Amino acid sequence: MRVSVTDIGELLRQTSARDFDGDDTGRLATIKEAQRLIHRLQHPTERGWELAFENWAVLGTLQTFIDLGIFERWHAGGGGQMSLKDLCELARSDVDPKLVAKDFIEEVAEEQYKPTDFSLSLGDKDSLQSAWIQSGHDHFKYDGLDYLSRFLQETSYRNPVDMGNTAYRLGCPENIDFWARCSAKPELQASFSEMMENWTRYKTHWTDYYDSRILLSCDIDPSAPILVDVGGNRGHDISLFLERHRTDIPTGSLILQDRPEALALAEVDQEKIRTMPHDFLTSQPVRGARAYMFHAVFHDWSDEMSLVILKHTAVAMKHGYSRLLIVDVVLPPTGASAFQAGMDVSMMGILSSKERTQGMWEKLLSGAGFRILEIWKDPKQYESVIEAELGSPDA
Ligand SMILES: C[S@@+](CC[C@H](N)C(=O)[O-])C[C@H]1O[C@@H](n2cnc3c(N)ncnc32)[C@H](O)[C@@H]1O
């Protein structure tokens, strides 16, 4: 071995996210290499143990810490070192500090613990970070595990395309589809909406890699809205557009559409952004807007249902003026990122849907009468903005 084990250990101990100084692309590439390193170092038994034995225990323990309010009170109290006795008092219960095993909390001496940045973030309500664990508990466990394998077996390994028949439905206790379950139980809508909000905040903002000035650099029709965010959840994306172009946005020219249960949790500038309950499987009531945006919407839907949504949108659009903006994954021919590949399988499990390659997007959009103008790529290799307009009426 060229480098000593001690040197490698020291180098690894000294490396942290701070070394990347905001270079997320470099940080993510390093994580990928570090994970490969772990996989090369792990004995197959260690990998099996981690995947199928340890993960369940850790998730169960994390959820228990969240349920007991430990992270929230630890964060509120300043996040300092605590003894096991202090932690039990904080939890108002006996606590088993298993989370040491996965670096969620740090053991500094016998029965003395410190939170890590991660566990503190789980206690920071405003960060919405704990919504990931809560959503895993409420939703995502049903898109994988043995539910996915049983579902595929029961459907003879046919590619799933029916949103009403999913691994999720097979797994969840109510035996209903994902959106129906969110609509039926506000707490399930909340954990999903908060997780999406956190995820959307984390991902490269669409306004950072799409030149949103394009939407304002023409003769704006004052009788129609500028941007409609369709399926826009709590309004994060449309608020980004507003912040960037606030002085150029007349009151009421931004519209946030979603299911009523999602809009109930929206947090937007009410004066500038109008919220409008709308089912996108029905006719689009807002006509002639400069742009209609769909972020992480089509990956929830099969081609057949996506065509329904696209055709309703096309009818509402003004030829030569309106733009369609799809913010979604465009799978590369090789080297899909872990996010992209993982999301593809999760979409299959939750909604019997999928991520798409550029060719699949071209086929889908041309089938609904659209012409792609440009595909704007996120440097972090997660999503892209597909900018399109209505094709020639004679084509
Ligand atoms: C994966 S989330 C994406 C949310 C948001 N655009 C984002 O990127 O954070 C999909 C959104 O579609 C909405 N949705 C699902 N079915 C819908 C329907 N039939 N009509 C309107 N919105 C719907 C959901 O409520 C949810 O907010």
Side-chain angles (χ1 to χ4, degrees):
M1 185 165 201
R2 273 165 287 131
V3 196
S4 82
V5 172
T6 328
D7 289 346
I8 294 176
E10 196 44 40
L11 177 67
L12 295 179
R13 260 188 303 281
Q14 281 175 13
T15 307
S16 82
R18 276 182 273 279
D19 298 325
F20 293 89
D21 201 17
D23 169 16
D24 267 348
T25 311
R27 190 179 56 79
L28 289 171
T30 306
I31 291 176
K32 199 166 172 182
E33 283 312 325
Q35 278 166 341
R36 285 185 176 149
L37 169 70
I38 291 170
H39 297 154
R40 282 196 302 275
L41 293 179
Q42 270 176 329
H43 185 281
T45 303
E46 292 156 359
R47 197 152 179 200
W49 158 280
E50 183 180 357
L51 276 171
F53 191 86
E54 185 180 32
N55 279 347
W56 313 142
V58 169
L59 280 172
T61 316
L62 266 179
Q63 183 67 43
T64 307
F65 268 51
I66 291 171
D67 292 346
L68 290 172
I70 298 178
F71 294 132
E72 210 179 327
R73 284 190 222 110
W74 208 347
H75 178 265
Q81 184 173 324
M82 288 219 176
S83 66
L84 182 56
K85 189 164 160 289
D86 296 333
L87 276 178
C88 290
E89 275 167 24
L90 204 67
R92 295 163 195 156
S93 161
D94 284 349
V95 164
D96 181 356
K98 275 201 176 62
L99 297 177
V100 169
K102 276 293 207 184
D103 296 329
F104 294 121
I105 57 177
E106 199 184 322
E107 185 179 51
V108 283
E110 188 176 353
E111 298 202 346
Q112 289 288 333
Y113 302 97
K114 263 186 11 197
T116 57
D117 288 349
F118 178 70
S119 43
L120 274 186
S121 77
L122 294 180
D124 176 1
K125 277 274 161 208
D126 294 338
S127 76
L128 302 178
Q129 206 62 53
S130 67
W132 280 98
I133 309 298
Q134 191 66 52
S135 263
H137 173 267
D138 292 346
H139 300 294
F140 304 134
K141 65 181 177 214
Y142 302 128
D143 73 52
L145 312 188
D146 57 325
Y147 304 117
L148 181 61
S149 55
R150 257 173 54 209
F151 171 77
L152 290 172
Q153 191 178 37
E154 284 176 17
T155 52
S156 308
Y157 299 100
R158 280 190 303 275
N159 188 37
V161 290
D162 176 3
M163 178 178 280
N165 188 21
T166 56
Y168 183 91
R169 181 172 178 169
L170 179 73
C172 74
E174 299 85 351
N175 189 238
I176 49 178
D177 73 61
F178 179 74
W179 299 118
R181 195 161 171 260
C182 286
S183 293
K185 296 198 169 168
E187 68 278 16
L188 300 184
Q189 174 68 47
S191 64
F192 173 69
S193 279
E194 288 178 4
M195 181 283 299
M196 275 312 298
E197 168 77 25
N198 175 281
W199 182 226
T200 311
R201 279 185 204 167
Y202 161 85
K203 287 184 287 189
T204 317
H205 296 157
W206 69 284
T207 44
D208 288 341
Y209 59 96
Y210 170 72
D211 184 0
S212 55
R213 288 171 306 183
I214 292 173
L215 302 185
L216 301 167
S217 62
C218 65
D219 279 342
I220 293 293
D221 175 355
S223 69
I226 293 172
L227 180 62
V228 187
D229 187 359
V230 192
N233 192 30
R234 305 198 340 164
H236 181 84
D237 284 318
I238 202 156
S239 300
L240 287 172
F241 183 76
L242 173 61
E243 285 325 312
R244 195 158 278 225
H245 304 288
R246 185 169 276 277
T247 50
D248 300 317
I249 306 288
T251 298
S253 58
L254 300 181
I255 296 183
L256 173 66
Q257 294 181 333
D258 209 302
R259 298 161 37 250
E261 298 84 0
L263 289 181
L265 302 167
E267 286 183 354
V268 288
D269 178 333
Q270 302 277 355
E271 194 196 319
K272 292 278 190 180
I273 301 172
R274 192 146 56 97
T275 53
M276 179 186 289
H278 168 58
D279 176 355
F280 52 48
L281 299 173
T282 64
S283 163
Q284 171 57 260
V286 180
R287 301 275 151 162
R290 171 70 171 136
Y292 296 82
M293 181 167 90
F294 295 83
H295 187 176
V297 166
F298 289 107
H299 79 158
D300 294 344
W301 298 86
S302 65
D303 288 347
E304 188 190 351
M305 298 309 285
S306 294
L307 274 176
V308 171
I309 303 169
L310 284 168
K311 285 180 179 168
H312 284 307
T313 312
V315 169
M317 287 171 70
K318 188 161 140 190
H319 220 274
Y321 175 72
S322 300
R323 294 275 159 99
L324 174 73
L325 300 178
I326 295 178
V327 189
D328 233 321
V329 168
V330 179
L331 289 170
T334 60
S337 67
F339 285 141
Q340 295 170 331
M343 192 59 89
D344 188 34
V345 181
S346 291
M347 287 304 106
M348 176 196 274
I350 304 176
L351 292 154
S352 290
S353 61
K354 60 185 176 191
E355 303 298 344
R356 294 176 171 89
T357 61
Q358 184 168 331
M360 289 155 96
W361 281 113
E362 282 164 359
K363 188 162 175 246
L364 179 67
L365 288 173
S366 66
F370 288 97
R371 186 172 77 89
I372 295 179
L373 296 169
E374 189 159 347
I375 298 184
W376 305 69
K377 291 197 171 129
D378 165 14
K380 267 205 237 172
Q381 259 214 319
Y382 182 63
E383 291 167 320
S384 297
V385 176
I386 304 171
E387 184 181 13
E389 65 178 8
L390 292 173
S392 152
D394 317 317

Short mmCIF file of all heavy atoms in Angstrom, two decimals, residues 2 20 22-23 42 61 84 88 108 145-146 168 170 179 206 209 225 227-228 243 298 318 325-326 332 337 383 395:
data_model
loop_
_atom_site.label_atom_id
_atom_site.label_comp_id
_atom_site.label_asym_id
_atom_site.label_seq_id
_atom_site.Cartn_x
_atom_site.Cartn_y
_atom_site.Cartn_z
N ARG A 2 0.60 2.20 -0.93
CA ARG A 2 1.47 3.38 -1.09
C ARG A 2 1.34 4.37 0.07
O ARG A 2 2.29 4.98 0.49
CB ARG A 2 1.14 4.08 -2.41
CG ARG A 2 1.93 3.50 -3.57
CD ARG A 2 1.36 3.93 -4.89
NE ARG A 2 0.10 3.25 -5.15
CZ ARG A 2 -1.03 3.85 -5.53
NH1 ARG A 2 -1.07 5.12 -5.70
NH2 ARG A 2 -2.11 3.16 -5.74
N PHE A 20 -14.93 22.77 0.88
CA PHE A 20 -15.37 22.98 -0.51
C PHE A 20 -15.82 24.41 -0.76
O PHE A 20 -16.07 24.79 -1.89
CB PHE A 20 -16.47 21.98 -0.87
CG PHE A 20 -15.94 20.59 -0.88
CD1 PHE A 20 -15.93 19.81 0.27
CD2 PHE A 20 -15.38 20.06 -2.03
CE1 PHE A 20 -15.40 18.55 0.27
CE2 PHE A 20 -14.86 18.78 -2.05
CZ PHE A 20 -14.86 18.02 -0.89
N GLY A 22 -18.43 26.20 -0.63
CA GLY A 22 -19.61 26.46 -1.46
C GLY A 22 -19.59 25.76 -2.81
O GLY A 22 -20.55 25.87 -3.57
N ASP A 23 -18.52 25.03 -3.15
CA ASP A 23 -18.47 24.33 -4.44
C ASP A 23 -19.24 23.02 -4.30
O ASP A 23 -18.68 21.96 -4.00
CB ASP A 23 -17.00 24.07 -4.83
CG ASP A 23 -16.89 23.12 -6.00
OD1 ASP A 23 -17.90 22.90 -6.71
OD2 ASP A 23 -15.77 22.58 -6.22
N GLN A 42 -15.82 -2.22 2.36
CA GLN A 42 -16.74 -3.06 3.14
C GLN A 42 -16.68 -4.52 2.71
O GLN A 42 -16.67 -4.82 1.50
CB GLN A 42 -18.19 -2.59 2.96
CG GLN A 42 -18.61 -1.56 3.98
CD GLN A 42 -20.03 -1.05 3.70
OE1 GLN A 42 -20.47 -0.99 2.56
NE2 GLN A 42 -20.73 -0.70 4.76
N THR A 61 -35.10 4.57 15.59
CA THR A 61 -34.60 5.34 16.72
C THR A 61 -34.71 6.84 16.45
O THR A 61 -35.12 7.62 17.31
CB THR A 61 -33.13 4.95 17.02
OG1 THR A 61 -33.01 3.54 16.96
CG2 THR A 61 -32.70 5.43 18.38
N LEU A 84 -26.43 11.56 29.86
CA LEU A 84 -27.56 10.67 29.56
C LEU A 84 -28.76 11.05 30.43
O LEU A 84 -29.91 11.06 29.96
CB LEU A 84 -27.14 9.22 29.80
CG LEU A 84 -28.19 8.16 29.48
CD1 LEU A 84 -28.67 8.26 28.04
CD2 LEU A 84 -27.65 6.76 29.74
N CYS A 88 -32.47 12.12 29.21
CA CYS A 88 -33.70 11.45 29.65
C CYS A 88 -34.71 12.49 30.15
O CYS A 88 -35.90 12.38 29.88
CB CYS A 88 -33.40 10.43 30.76
SG CYS A 88 -32.51 9.01 30.14
N VAL A 108 -18.87 12.06 23.80
CA VAL A 108 -17.65 12.80 24.16
C VAL A 108 -16.97 12.23 25.40
O VAL A 108 -15.78 12.46 25.63
CB VAL A 108 -17.93 14.32 24.33
CG1 VAL A 108 -18.06 15.00 23.01
CG2 VAL A 108 -19.15 14.59 25.17
N LEU A 145 -38.85 -1.47 0.06
CA LEU A 145 -38.86 -2.68 0.90
C LEU A 145 -39.47 -3.85 0.16
O LEU A 145 -39.36 -3.97 -1.06
CB LEU A 145 -39.63 -2.44 2.22
CG LEU A 145 -39.31 -1.18 3.01
CD1 LEU A 145 -40.01 -1.20 4.34
CD2 LEU A 145 -37.83 -1.07 3.20
N ASP A 146 -40.16 -4.70 0.94
CA ASP A 146 -40.75 -5.86 0.28
C ASP A 146 -42.04 -5.49 -0.45
O ASP A 146 -42.56 -6.27 -1.22
CB ASP A 146 -41.02 -6.98 1.29
CG ASP A 146 -41.92 -6.53 2.41
OD1 ASP A 146 -41.79 -5.35 2.80
OD2 ASP A 146 -42.74 -7.32 2.89
N TYR A 168 -47.00 1.45 -3.22
CA TYR A 168 -47.41 2.31 -2.09
C TYR A 168 -48.79 1.87 -1.58
O TYR A 168 -49.00 1.71 -0.38
CB TYR A 168 -47.45 3.77 -2.56
CG TYR A 168 -47.78 4.77 -1.48
CD1 TYR A 168 -46.77 5.37 -0.73
CD2 TYR A 168 -49.09 5.13 -1.21
CE1 TYR A 168 -47.07 6.30 0.27
CE2 TYR A 168 -49.40 6.06 -0.22
CZ TYR A 168 -48.38 6.64 0.51
OH TYR A 168 -48.67 7.56 1.49
N LEU A 170 -50.25 -0.97 -1.98
CA LEU A 170 -50.16 -2.31 -1.40
C LEU A 170 -49.65 -2.23 0.04
O LEU A 170 -50.10 -2.95 0.93
CB LEU A 170 -49.19 -3.14 -2.25
CG LEU A 170 -48.90 -4.56 -1.83
CD1 LEU A 170 -50.11 -5.44 -2.12
CD2 LEU A 170 -47.69 -5.11 -2.58
N TRP A 179 -51.98 10.30 -3.49
CA TRP A 179 -52.63 11.61 -3.37
C TRP A 179 -53.92 11.51 -2.56
O TRP A 179 -54.24 12.40 -1.77
CB TRP A 179 -52.91 12.24 -4.75
CG TRP A 179 -51.66 12.48 -5.53
CD1 TRP A 179 -51.33 11.92 -6.74
CD2 TRP A 179 -50.55 13.32 -5.18
NE1 TRP A 179 -50.09 12.35 -7.15
CE2 TRP A 179 -49.59 13.22 -6.21
CE3 TRP A 179 -50.26 14.14 -4.09
CZ2 TRP A 179 -48.38 13.91 -6.20
CZ3 TRP A 179 -49.06 14.82 -4.07
CH2 TRP A 179 -48.14 14.71 -5.11
N TRP A 206 -34.35 26.88 -9.67
CA TRP A 206 -34.54 26.94 -11.13
C TRP A 206 -34.12 28.30 -11.68
O TRP A 206 -33.61 28.39 -12.80
CB TRP A 206 -36.00 26.60 -11.49
CG TRP A 206 -37.02 27.63 -11.10
CD1 TRP A 206 -37.51 27.86 -9.86
CD2 TRP A 206 -37.69 28.57 -11.96
NE1 TRP A 206 -38.43 28.87 -9.88
CE2 TRP A 206 -38.56 29.32 -11.15
CE3 TRP A 206 -37.64 28.83 -13.33
CZ2 TRP A 206 -39.37 30.34 -11.68
CZ3 TRP A 206 -38.45 29.83 -13.85
CH2 TRP A 206 -39.29 30.58 -13.03
N TYR A 209 -30.32 28.55 -12.81
CA TYR A 209 -29.73 28.01 -14.04
C TYR A 209 -30.64 28.21 -15.26
O TYR A 209 -30.25 27.85 -16.37
CB TYR A 209 -29.30 26.53 -13.87
CG TYR A 209 -30.39 25.56 -13.50
CD1 TYR A 209 -31.04 24.81 -14.47
CD2 TYR A 209 -30.77 25.38 -12.17
CE1 TYR A 209 -32.04 23.90 -14.13
CE2 TYR A 209 -31.76 24.49 -11.82
CZ TYR A 209 -32.39 23.76 -12.80
OH TYR A 209 -33.38 22.87 -12.45
N PRO A 225 -51.81 36.67 -16.78
CA PRO A 225 -50.71 36.53 -15.81
C PRO A 225 -49.36 36.29 -16.50
O PRO A 225 -49.29 35.86 -17.66
CB PRO A 225 -51.11 35.30 -14.99
CG PRO A 225 -52.55 35.11 -15.24
CD PRO A 225 -52.82 35.63 -16.61
N LEU A 227 -46.76 34.33 -14.82
CA LEU A 227 -46.32 32.96 -14.52
C LEU A 227 -47.38 32.22 -13.71
O LEU A 227 -47.90 32.73 -12.73
CB LEU A 227 -45.00 33.00 -13.73
CG LEU A 227 -44.39 31.67 -13.32
CD1 LEU A 227 -44.01 30.82 -14.54
CD2 LEU A 227 -43.14 31.88 -12.44
N VAL A 228 -47.68 31.00 -14.16
CA VAL A 228 -48.57 30.12 -13.40
C VAL A 228 -47.74 28.92 -12.97
O VAL A 228 -47.17 28.21 -13.82
CB VAL A 228 -49.76 29.62 -14.27
CG1 VAL A 228 -50.77 28.85 -13.42
CG2 VAL A 228 -50.43 30.77 -15.00
N GLU A 243 -39.05 37.21 -6.03
CA GLU A 243 -37.92 37.90 -5.38
C GLU A 243 -36.95 38.44 -6.42
O GLU A 243 -36.42 39.51 -6.30
CB GLU A 243 -37.18 36.95 -4.42
CG GLU A 243 -37.92 36.68 -3.13
CD GLU A 243 -38.70 37.90 -2.62
OE1 GLU A 243 -38.11 38.99 -2.57
OE2 GLU A 243 -39.89 37.77 -2.30
N PHE A 298 -44.40 16.09 -13.73
CA PHE A 298 -44.60 15.02 -14.71
C PHE A 298 -43.93 13.71 -14.29
O PHE A 298 -44.35 12.64 -14.72
CB PHE A 298 -44.13 15.47 -16.10
CG PHE A 298 -45.07 16.49 -16.69
CD1 PHE A 298 -44.70 17.82 -16.78
CD2 PHE A 298 -46.34 16.13 -17.08
CE1 PHE A 298 -45.57 18.78 -17.27
CE2 PHE A 298 -47.24 17.07 -17.58
CZ PHE A 298 -46.84 18.40 -17.68
N LYS A 318 -51.05 30.79 -25.48
CA LYS A 318 -51.19 31.66 -26.64
C LYS A 318 -50.03 31.38 -27.60
O LYS A 318 -48.85 31.45 -27.20
CB LYS A 318 -51.16 33.12 -26.16
CG LYS A 318 -51.47 34.15 -27.20
CD LYS A 318 -51.86 35.44 -26.47
CE LYS A 318 -51.29 36.64 -27.16
NZ LYS A 318 -51.45 37.84 -26.35
N LEU A 325 -42.60 25.64 -19.09
CA LEU A 325 -41.35 25.37 -18.37
C LEU A 325 -41.53 24.11 -17.54
O LEU A 325 -42.37 24.09 -16.63
CB LEU A 325 -40.99 26.54 -17.43
CG LEU A 325 -40.79 27.90 -18.06
CD1 LEU A 325 -40.50 28.94 -16.98
CD2 LEU A 325 -39.64 27.88 -19.08
N ILE A 326 -40.78 23.08 -17.88
CA ILE A 326 -40.84 21.85 -17.10
C ILE A 326 -39.53 21.72 -16.35
O ILE A 326 -38.46 21.68 -16.96
CB ILE A 326 -41.05 20.62 -18.02
CG1 ILE A 326 -42.41 20.72 -18.71
CG2 ILE A 326 -40.95 19.34 -17.22
CD1 ILE A 326 -42.69 19.59 -19.68
N PRO A 332 -29.39 11.40 -18.06
CA PRO A 332 -28.35 11.39 -19.08
C PRO A 332 -28.18 9.98 -19.65
O PRO A 332 -28.57 9.01 -19.00
CB PRO A 332 -27.10 11.83 -18.31
CG PRO A 332 -27.36 11.41 -16.89
CD PRO A 332 -28.86 11.46 -16.69
N SER A 337 -26.92 10.47 -11.80
CA SER A 337 -26.50 10.66 -10.41
C SER A 337 -27.33 9.76 -9.50
O SER A 337 -28.38 9.24 -9.90
CB SER A 337 -26.65 12.12 -10.01
OG SER A 337 -28.02 12.47 -9.97
N GLU A 383 -31.85 18.26 -11.71
CA GLU A 383 -32.93 18.52 -12.65
C GLU A 383 -32.46 19.39 -13.80
O GLU A 383 -31.33 19.87 -13.82
CB GLU A 383 -34.08 19.24 -11.91
CG GLU A 383 -34.77 18.34 -10.91
CD GLU A 383 -35.67 19.10 -9.96
OE1 GLU A 383 -35.28 20.19 -9.53
OE2 GLU A 383 -36.75 18.58 -9.64
N ALA A 395 -47.91 21.88 -38.30
CA ALA A 395 -46.96 20.74 -38.24
C ALA A 395 -47.69 19.44 -37.93
O ALA A 395 -48.72 19.43 -37.33
CB ALA A 395 -45.91 21.01 -37.18
#
